[in-house]
Amino acid sequence: MKKTALKISIVLGTCIAGICIFAAVILNLHLFNTDKAALLSTTSTSMQTPSAIKTASQNDTNVDVDSNRDTFEYFLSGLGEKDIDTLKKNFTAFNEQQNRTVKIDEELFQQYIDYKAALFALERSTSNGAASVNSQLSAMHQQLLEIQQQFFTPEQQQALFGEENQLRELALKQQELKHQAQSPADYQQLWQDEVNQLPPNLQESYRNASLLNRLELTKDMDTQSQFLIREELVGSEAAIRLTNLDQQRESFKQQVDKYLVEREQILLNTNNNQDDKLLAIQTLRELMFESNQYRRIQALGNIHDQQVTIY
């Protein structure tokens, strides 16, 4: 339910941006930064696995087994750290550990890889500034369906993409209703009528997605106004948790900023050799952060270095 709400949130939040909502679909953006969504629904299913079948960045995560597609995406997220052949071997090793009743057809994983490759080709060929946004969205939707049909049976297509395809169709319907409606109130009624025809689980997801978008709009408000709006949307208890979460994030950001400054000073110290610098950075990291944060801090340091190099 949480992932569905987040996917719908992308659609609702970016319909005005037009083609971008379909770019998100093409790139298969599964959003895992779900601190706010956690206040509204349950956590996703995951499975603990040996680190031997993971990339370095996945070592502190569990394989996502919510669906076959989520499992495929989990292993493919390691692309860049490992080549595709290694990731396929990792998936096979994981799959062989599973109970026979839940094993995934390994040929389906290869079909999914081929499908993803076709999507990147589609992304490069769909830009057409002369066409209207709505016609581009509709055309891209049809192209996505056609590509899915090239690689998958109807049953496989429904299992892997049924929900996503329905969300795109609803996004197109939403745009159509906006053009048909005589007023904002008329549009809201037409859209509500459309949502009411959805299965109960999708209706709930749309309500959660709408709530997430409204919460997101509070991020630039002053603290008092932000709390009052959040309290109205989710109640006092959840509003307090959101405030505490904001404070934790800000505290962590300040700590990271301080770490990066001191790390930079270590790197610029010409009196120490490279080994001494690395040891000093490791000591600094251990003094400032908990052990379960080390990998994340190392990654933030690497990102910082890349940005400095670019600019």
Side-chain angles (χ1 to χ4, degrees), residues 10 119 126-127 156 159 184 209 234 259 266 269 281:
I10 295 173
L119 285 189
T126 50
S127 177
Q156 291 171 336
V234 296
Y259 163 79
I266 293 172
N269 187 346
I281 291 173

Side-chain angles (χ1 to χ4, degrees), residues 115-128:
Y115 166 76
K116 294 281 283 188
L119 285 189
F120 284 111
L122 170 65
E123 183 188 5
R124 289 194 296 270
S125 64
T126 50
S127 177
N128 184 356

Side-chain angles (χ1 to χ4, degrees), residues 59-73:
N59 279 338
D60 56 352
T61 67
N62 297 325
V63 175
D64 190 343
V65 293
D66 270 353
S67 67
N68 288 352
R69 184 177 178 183
D70 289 320
T71 303
F72 295 160
E73 285 294 335

Side-chain angles (χ1 to χ4, degrees), residues 28 35 66 69 73 77 102 114 162 164 187 197-198 237 274 285:
N28 191 26
D35 298 318
D66 270 353
R69 184 177 178 183
E73 285 294 335
S77 68
V102 296
D114 295 340
E164 179 187 283
Y187 160 73
Q197 298 177 40
L198 298 174
E237 186 177 342
Q274 188 65 19
R285 186 165 56 242

Side-chain angles (χ1 to χ4, degrees), residues 59 67 75 97 100 141 144 179 193 217 248 261 274-275:
N59 279 338
S67 67
F75 283 97
Q97 298 170 8
R100 183 167 57 89
H141 175 60
L144 287 169
H179 288 286
D193 291 343
L217 293 175
Q248 292 169 13
V261 170
Q274 188 65 19
D275 289 341

Side-chain angles (χ1 to χ4, degrees), residues 254-264 281-282 284-285 288-289 297-298 300-301:
Q254 292 176 1
Q255 188 80 342
V256 170
D257 289 344
K258 181 180 178 182
Y259 163 79
L260 291 175
V261 170
E262 295 187 25
R263 177 179 176 274
E264 187 71 15
I281 291 173
Q282 178 182 336
L284 175 66
R285 186 165 56 242
M288 296 185 67
F289 300 98
I297 300 305
Q298 283 181 291
L300 290 172

